[in-house]
Amino acid sequence: MLSCKRRLTSSLCATLLLLVTSAFAAEKPCTLHDGDKYYDLNPLKANKDYELEAGGHMFYLNVCRGVATDPWNTHVDEKDGDIAGLVRRDHGDFAIGLVNATLEMKAGDLLLRQSNGSPCTGTGTDDVPVRGSSVIRFLCDTSIYAAGKPVLLDQWPSDDDKACDYEFEWRTHYACPTGEHGFFGGVFVFFVITAMIFLMAFIVISTLYNRFVLRLNGYDQMPKFTISHAHEILDVCADFCRSAMDHISARLSSWRNRGHADVRSTSHHWTSREEEEAMIASDPVELESEDVHDDAGRELHDTSTWGRSRQVGEEGGERGIIRM
């Protein structure tokens, strides 16, 4: 049983190591490792195509993505892929290759090849036509800070209306080797930014503390980069946070108690007759109202009694007179 667990653990570790190694070994789209140099052309992806004019025709190119210009009559099936570049001709657009995100390094030049474009005229056979293709040679030029612009170097055949293969040159600083933005690089940048934020906060808080608490003026109110002063600033910040939390807690408690009191006052139900009489007895307004009602009841009772007595007397008197 123990040997099985060990074998399972070792196999899992080997699989994890293989996955990590393959993840680091695989090239990202539109990037290339050449020794200790790293190239990344992803910043050249654009929402608007790069345009140039040559031989009386307009060229529309993009890098590592399809062109944004709507193609017309290219004889390229959409299922084959996105068109990386095209030439606008009189009888339709000619695709000079499909999107390719694999870079090459040849003789110190960074290359991007694109193939399987529109069928070429006058070349190949009907069964296996030669299709349009292109190659872009990227040159590192730090003097061009922007994306730069492609330039047509050569085409084959030389006839502008029958050209099938194109060669471009593109000078840009994005073609220069750069550092790879990996996990450790991101962590380093995060710590640097965090340290800068804490440093700026320390400078501002220390200056305000020296100016308004210690009543210092001039250069004396500038922050002091000492351990004792840092501890003092930390204590001030801790006291401020503590007082703020106490104030917030007190306000929340008062709101909570007020809410409970409102609920108790509006949702109270009497549980017995004795409790109701005790609560009414404690309210002088209700006692006074009850006394008024009792007095009015007694007066009404006396009045009705006197009325009945008088009526009886009158009836008795009348009977006496008749009897006489």
Side-chain angles (χ1 to χ4, degrees):
M1 185 67 180
L2 183 60
S3 61
C4 293
K5 290 184 178 180
R6 289 179 179 177
R7 291 178 183 177
L8 182 60
T9 304
S10 59
S11 61
L12 290 176
C13 293
T15 304
L16 181 61
L17 181 61
L18 180 62
L19 291 175
V20 173
T21 305
S22 61
F24 279 98
E27 294 285 357
K28 297 179 181 179
C30 223
T31 62
L32 176 67
H33 285 89
D34 183 41
D36 57 348
K37 297 180 179 179
Y38 178 73
Y39 299 89
D40 186 3
L41 295 183
N42 283 290
L44 290 178
K45 292 180 179 179
N47 296 324
K48 183 180 180 181
D49 296 333
Y50 300 94
E51 301 178 4
L52 68 146
E53 184 177 1
H57 298 290
M58 289 296 300
F59 289 76
Y60 301 90
L61 300 176
N62 220 310
V63 180
C64 299
R65 59 155 292 176
V67 292
T69 304
D70 293 331
W72 170 63
N73 196 22
T74 59
H75 300 286
V76 176
D77 194 350
E78 296 180 356
K79 298 179 181 179
D80 295 338
D82 296 328
I83 298 175
L86 55 86
V87 184
R88 183 133 291 176
R89 295 177 179 175
D90 296 335
H91 301 288
D93 296 336
F94 183 82
I96 59 177
L98 301 181
V99 173
N100 179 27
T102 303
L103 303 179
E104 302 177 20
M105 182 63 67
K106 186 176 181 180
D109 294 334
L110 188 62
L111 304 179
L112 178 62
R113 301 182 186 273
Q114 300 163 144
S115 58
N116 296 326
S118 298
C120 301
T121 57
T123 59
T125 62
D126 295 337
D127 296 335
V128 184
V130 177
R131 292 186 171 272
S133 61
S134 60
V135 58
I136 305 176
R137 189 183 308 272
F138 293 94
L139 301 179
C140 174
D141 193 343
T142 56
S143 63
I144 302 177
Y145 185 75
K149 192 174 183 180
V151 177
L152 180 63
L153 294 181
D154 195 9
Q155 63 184 23
W156 182 86
S158 59
D159 190 350
D160 295 332
D161 292 330
K162 296 182 179 180
C164 187
D165 185 69
Y166 296 86
E167 182 180 358
F168 299 92
E169 181 181 271
W170 197 326
R171 293 182 176 271
T172 175
H173 76 282
Y174 290 118
C176 300
T178 182
E180 184 175 5
H181 303 287
F183 173 76
F184 295 103
V187 173
F188 176 75
V189 171
F190 171 77
F191 278 113
V192 169
I193 295 176
T194 304
M196 293 180 63
I197 292 175
F198 276 107
L199 178 61
M200 295 300 297
F202 175 79
I203 292 175
V204 173
I205 296 174
S206 178
T207 303
L208 294 176
Y209 176 75
N210 293 335
R211 178 68 179 87
F212 296 102
V213 177
L214 300 182
R215 302 294 182 180
L216 299 178
N217 297 319
Y219 290 102
D220 294 335
Q221 64 182 348
M222 298 300 293
K224 300 177 182 178
F225 296 94
T226 59
I227 297 178
S228 60
H229 187 67
H231 279 294
E232 188 176 1
I233 296 299
L234 289 177
D235 293 338
V236 171
C237 293
D239 293 339
F240 176 78
C241 294
R242 193 179 299 109
S243 62
M245 293 300 296
D246 293 340
H247 178 71
I248 294 174
S249 300
R251 294 296 299 270
L252 291 176
S253 299
S254 63
W255 290 341
R256 192 179 298 111
N257 294 333
R258 187 183 305 170
H260 290 326
D262 294 339
V263 171
R264 286 195 302 268
S265 62
T266 57
S267 62
H268 184 77
H269 299 281
W270 307 118
T271 58
S272 64
R273 179 65 181 177
E274 289 77 8
E275 182 181 357
E276 181 180 1
E277 292 177 353
M279 293 299 297
I280 294 175
S282 62
D283 193 349
V285 176
E286 293 185 0
L287 288 175
E288 183 178 356
S289 63
E290 287 188 356
D291 294 339
V292 171
H293 287 301
D294 292 341
D295 294 340
R298 285 194 295 270
E299 291 179 359
L300 182 60
H301 177 72
D302 295 340
T303 304
S304 60
T305 303
W306 178 80
R308 287 196 299 271
S309 301
R310 183 178 179 182
Q311 184 177 1
V312 171
E314 289 179 354
E315 291 177 354
E318 291 177 356
R319 293 192 190 100
I321 295 172
I322 294 172
R323 195 177 297 118
M324 287 177 64

